[in-house]
Amino acid sequence: MTKAEVQPAERAVLDWLAAQRGAMLSLLVKLVNTDGGSYDKAGVDQVGAHLRGFMEAHGIDCETLPNERFGDVVRATVEGGATSTGANSTILLMGHRDTVFPKGEPSRRPFKIENGRAYGPGVADMKAGLVMNAFVLAAFRQEGGAPVPLVGLFTSDEEIGSPSCRPVIEAEARRARAVFNSEPGRPGNGVVTGRKGGVFLRLQITGKAAHAGANLKDGISAIEELARKVIALHALTDLNRGTTINVGLVSGGQTVNTVAPSASAEIDLRFVAPADRAAAMREIERIVQTSFVPGTSAQLEIAGEFLPLVESPHSQALFDHYVDCGGVLDVPVRGEFTGGCADSGFAAATGAPVVCAVGPVGGRAHSPEEYLEVDTLVPRAQTLALSILRLGARA
Ligand SMILES: [Zn+2]
C-alpha cells in the first residue's frame, strides 16, 4: 500500500492538534490531581466532570449514563459522515477514568514534569489517553465534523474488571467499524494487538477444628488441604501455551494450637485463546473437587473476569491501517502482545476490529514510578486522528 501524503483537509485537523500541546497538559494536570480510585465514585465522577467541562466548551455533545455504585459513564459524540445507525457505523474511542491508587495519592505526589517525563497517579494509565481522546474529538468538532460518527466512552471501573461498564462497552463496540482503546502506548511507539484473558477466582476450603495438642486426630486441616491444592493448581501453568495460574493470596486458620477449620485463596488464571479458558477451568474445578485431605470440602467462585484481545484478521487490518498512518506522520509504530488485561478484550469479543494502547507512551503503570513521555501527546493524537480520517475516506 502506498502512503498518501497528508491532504490539506487532513492537515487542518493535524495542525489544530499540534497547537494544543499546552492545553492538553493543562487538562492532564487537572485529571491527575483529582482522586479517582475505582471505588471512589465521587472522585471518578469529578474526573468525568473535568472532561465534560472541556468537551462541552468545545461544542461536543456529552451525556452521562448514571451508575449508583461506581462512577458514571460519560459518553461523547461528534456527528459526521453518513447518518447510518446500524452496525459498522461508528468509530469508538475508549478510556477508563479510574486508577488503582488510594484516596489522597494526588496530594501526596501531585503532577510534575521532569526531564520530559510527567509523573503522578494515573498519568499514563490512563489520564493522558483520556486527554488525547477528548482533544481528538474536539479536533473534529472544530474542523467541521468527523468523517464518520465518533463516540468517546469515558468509563469508570476498568481496574476492577469493569463490572458496571462492560455492557456499555459491548453495546457501543457492536455498532463500531473500528475501536481504539487509549491505554498507555508502549515505549518505542508500541501499541497492543493482543492481550490475554484473565479470571480472578476465590477458593474457600472447610475442614474441622480440634485442639492441636489434646485431640489432633479429631481435626481436619483446611490449611493442609489448601497447601496441596496450591501445588496442584500451580502445576497447571503451561508457559508455552500461555496459560498461567497464580495463587496470589492465601489465608486460613484460627489459632496456632487449633487444627485449621477453614482456609481460602485467590487465584489468577490467564490464557490466550478462549478455548484455553474452558480447559483450564475444567482442571481447576477437578482440583477444587478433589479432597487431598479426606473430610475437607471446597468451593470456587469467579470474582472478576477479562476477555482476551484475540488477534483477529479484522483487528490485524486495523492495526496495519494505524501503522500506515503513523508512517505518513513519521511515527513508526510497532505492535506487541501482553499478558495484561484491559477493556479492549470485551470490545473485541463482539467482533469489532480493535487496536489497544494507542494512548500517549508511558510506563511503570500501577507504581509510584509511573511516567508519561510528554512529547508523545501530540504525535499519538495525530496518528489516531489520521487513522480516523482515512477510515472515513474508505467508507
Ligand atoms: Zn488502564
Side-chain angles (χ1 to χ4, degrees), residues 76-155:
T77 48
V78 175
E79 297 297 311
T83 51
S84 138
T85 53
N88 307 320
S89 61
T90 61
I91 294 175
L92 173 60
L93 309 184
M94 287 172 41
H96 65 85
R97 313 196 305 275
D98 59 321
T99 71
V100 295
F101 296 103
K103 204 160 179 61
E105 191 77 0
S107 30
R108 286 188 287 275
R109 47 182 193 92
F111 182 92
K112 66 173 180 184
I113 297 180
E114 278 176 13
N115 301 323
R117 289 184 167 185
Y119 297 88
V123 66
D125 183 15
M126 56 174 285
K127 290 177 172 178
L130 300 175
V131 167
M132 182 189 79
N133 284 358
F135 274 82
V136 167
L137 293 170
F140 284 105
R141 186 70 183 78
Q142 298 292 304
E143 300 300 328
V148 291
L150 301 181
V151 176
L153 271 190
F154 300 84
T155 58

Side-chain angles (χ1 to χ4, degrees), residues 96 98 124-126 158-159 181-184 195 341-342 365-366:
H96 65 85
D98 59 321
D125 183 15
M126 56 174 285
E158 190 268 352
E159 298 291 1
N181 193 20
S182 300
E183 289 281 354
R195 290 181 183 271
C341 298
H366 298 199

